[in-house]
Amino acid sequence: MKPTKRGSAKAAALRPQASSGHVAPSSKVIGSKMPAATARKRTAPRMTPGRSLTSVPTSGHKVASKPTSAGRSPLSALAAPFAFLGNVISRIPRPHLPGKVVAAAAGALVLVAVVAIVVVNSALFTATNVIVNGSEHIPQQTAQQLIKVPAGTTLLNVNESAIASSLESNPWVSGVTIEREFPDTLVITPTEWDVSAIAYITASDVAWAISSDNKWISPVSLTVTVDADGNIVSDSGSAAGSTLGSDAASGDAADGTDAASGDDATSEDQASGTETSGDDAAATDGDASGDTSDGTGDQGADTTDEGEVTNNPDGTQTLTGLAAAQALARRDGAVLFTDIASDVEPVSGQEVTSEVILAGLEYARGFSSDFIAQIKEISLTSEEAISADLDSGVEVSLGEPTDIALKERVVTRLLEQEQGVTYINVRTPDNYSFRSAPDS
């Protein structure tokens, strides 16, 4: 078999040279290393389908890759400062406390806690002097009957929630203020609901107070004594004085004070010392049916469409019915509602549901206090026909409770600029009208 050229060349390369005795530059010596200068350079690997190759810088420095927006947490930017702070805190040397010191500190804390418990429950600050105050609609005697402070109560362990709960059984109470006067005095004062309006229900001759959050509070007494300026100097308090439910409108009294209709109760005239029977004093629909006397003669009772007004010897007046409701509303800075439908049935603590009364309450909240002081009463025959009678004798047709502040400005400006105004219509305040009395 004839050798191929490739085989012949290989054989010739391996054959030693006889004449020179050295290896030819092109020959390869088995078992020896090639010089570095003649080392063959590595070539890049051959790319094959389906395989990718990423080039890496040859400088030896790592290049930080920027994070992409995708997959990056929004809080990662805020994490760096906290991580730095944590690193700084971790480097702060911490003192090593011996176990005895730790045990002593724990023992001191336990001792302080035990001492605090002992002091709170000891007789050191026992509330031996409990002062219970009354308020405008809550007589002091009524408040004292409601509050029960257990024996052994101290100024530090007094149960405030229990006291507030017992007081709140009275419909007038919205909360309680408790003051501590060391070492042994506890002062308890009830706080009342703000009165937004008083609704006089003609059919039953009863008036109910309404709170600023649109809840029925309690019926009010319709027998009051006023001074020459119309300020109330004596009244029999709320019609129930204590806890009232739906029976309050019928005149049932819970604590012995006068009910709205005056049944089975008497109202003392503190200014003149006279005693007026509730049945005789109450006026239904402005018609007084009883006589008032002090045993010495007629005091000058005057029956009007607004109730009965009795002139007393000391210059004061005793008012009943609607006149009393007007005086109470003025004292409380509230609005008096009249012409209330007979189907309205108030219940203490319940929300007002009558749409026309709620409309009237919007006026009560929307008018300024200065303007409310000029209002004698607001008639609530219907939402569209709401009207107000001012103390000056001017009748104001208000209509539905919209643009309340603008309506007040129009009425106020007309009363300042015009003389003898008797009627103002501001149902549409931008197109108001008014009437004046003819010049004599």
Side-chain angles (χ1 to χ4, degrees):
M1 182 175 178
K2 188 177 180 178
T4 63
K5 292 181 179 182
R6 182 176 181 182
S8 299
K10 184 176 182 181
L14 296 175
R15 188 182 305 120
Q17 298 294 327
S19 59
S20 61
H22 60 84
V23 179
S26 61
S27 63
K28 180 178 181 182
V29 180
I30 300 175
S32 63
K33 293 183 178 179
M34 296 181 67
T38 62
R40 183 178 297 175
K41 294 182 179 180
R42 294 178 181 273
T43 60
R46 182 176 299 175
M47 301 296 294
T48 58
R51 182 179 179 184
S52 62
L53 181 67
T54 303
S55 61
V56 180
T58 58
S59 62
H61 297 286
K62 294 182 179 180
V63 179
S65 59
K66 296 182 179 180
T68 60
S69 60
R72 184 176 181 181
S73 172
L75 299 178
S76 60
L78 299 176
F82 289 101
F84 174 75
L85 182 61
N87 189 24
V88 172
I89 294 175
S90 65
R91 294 174 182 273
I92 298 175
R94 297 179 180 141
H96 178 70
L97 298 177
K100 292 182 178 180
V101 175
V102 176
L109 291 176
V110 172
L111 179 61
V112 170
V114 171
V115 171
I117 294 174
V118 171
V119 171
V120 167
N121 295 280
S122 68
L124 183 60
F125 299 113
T126 301
T128 57
N129 184 25
V130 179
I131 300 174
V132 180
N133 295 321
S135 59
E136 184 124 34
H137 300 92
I138 306 169
Q140 183 181 26
Q141 183 179 2
T142 300
Q144 289 175 337
Q145 292 174 350
L146 293 173
I147 295 176
K148 302 296 181 184
V149 178
T153 298
T154 71
L155 269 61
L156 301 178
N157 69 359
V158 58
N159 192 338
E160 297 185 9
S161 60
I163 293 176
S165 178
S166 61
L167 268 177
E168 287 171 0
S169 61
N170 185 294
W172 279 101
V173 177
S174 62
V176 62
T177 299
I178 298 178
E179 300 175 83
R180 297 169 175 83
E181 296 179 0
F182 290 90
D184 59 0
T185 302
L186 198 64
V187 182
I188 303 173
T189 306
T191 55
E192 298 185 355
W193 294 105
D194 292 330
V195 181
S196 181
I198 291 180
Y200 178 74
I201 304 175
T202 307
S204 54
D205 189 40
V206 64
W208 275 76
I210 303 176
S211 68
S212 56
D213 60 347
N214 298 348
K215 290 183 179 180
W216 297 105
I217 301 177
S218 171
V220 295
S221 172
L222 292 182
T223 301
V224 299
T225 301
V226 298
D227 59 18
D229 296 325
N231 300 315
I232 296 178
V233 295
S234 173
D235 71 272
S236 57
S238 66
S242 183
T243 305
L244 271 176
S246 58
D247 294 336
S250 64
D252 295 333
D255 68 344
T257 58
D258 290 343
S261 63
D263 294 338
D264 300 328
T266 59
S267 171
E268 290 187 3
D269 183 352
Q270 297 180 0
S272 61
T274 60
E275 186 175 88
T276 303
S277 169
D279 288 331
D280 295 334
T284 304
D285 242 349
D287 183 15
S289 59
D291 297 328
T292 303
S293 65
D294 61 355
T296 59
D298 184 50
Q299 287 185 312
D302 182 19
T303 301
T304 67
D305 291 338
E306 297 177 351
E308 184 178 89
V309 178
T310 302
N311 297 315
N312 301 318
D314 60 354
T316 62
Q317 291 182 323
T318 300
L319 310 178
T320 62
L322 182 58
Q326 290 172 346
L328 291 170
R330 192 176 303 279
R331 180 192 64 181
D332 294 333
V335 174
L336 175 65
F337 293 155
T338 58
D339 299 319
I340 304 297
S342 58
D343 60 351
V344 173
E345 298 179 353
V347 177
S348 292
Q350 297 296 316
E351 296 279 350
V352 175
T353 58
S354 170
E355 294 296 334
V356 66
I357 295 180
L358 290 173
L361 289 170
E362 290 190 45
Y363 276 115
R365 289 190 296 267
F367 286 146
S368 68
S369 57
D370 291 338
F371 191 68
I372 288 178
Q374 303 177 44
I375 298 176
K376 187 176 183 180
E377 61 187 65
I378 292 182
S379 173
L380 301 180
T381 54
S382 68
E383 293 181 63
E384 299 79 11
I386 296 177
S387 63
D389 290 337
L390 307 184
D391 288 330
S392 60
V394 178
E395 179 185 356
V396 181
S397 179
L398 297 170
E400 296 181 353
T402 57
D403 300 321
I404 297 176
L406 178 58
K407 291 177 179 180
E408 177 181 335
R409 289 196 298 270
V410 171
V411 172
T412 302
R413 185 175 67 249
L414 277 173
L415 294 177
E416 291 175 349
Q417 297 177 353
E418 302 292 336
Q419 299 294 325
V421 176
T422 59
Y423 173 81
I424 302 174
N425 186 338
V426 288
R427 293 184 181 184
T428 306
D430 293 330
N431 188 24
Y432 63 88
S433 62
F434 67 99
R435 291 196 304 266
S436 300
D439 296 334
S440 55

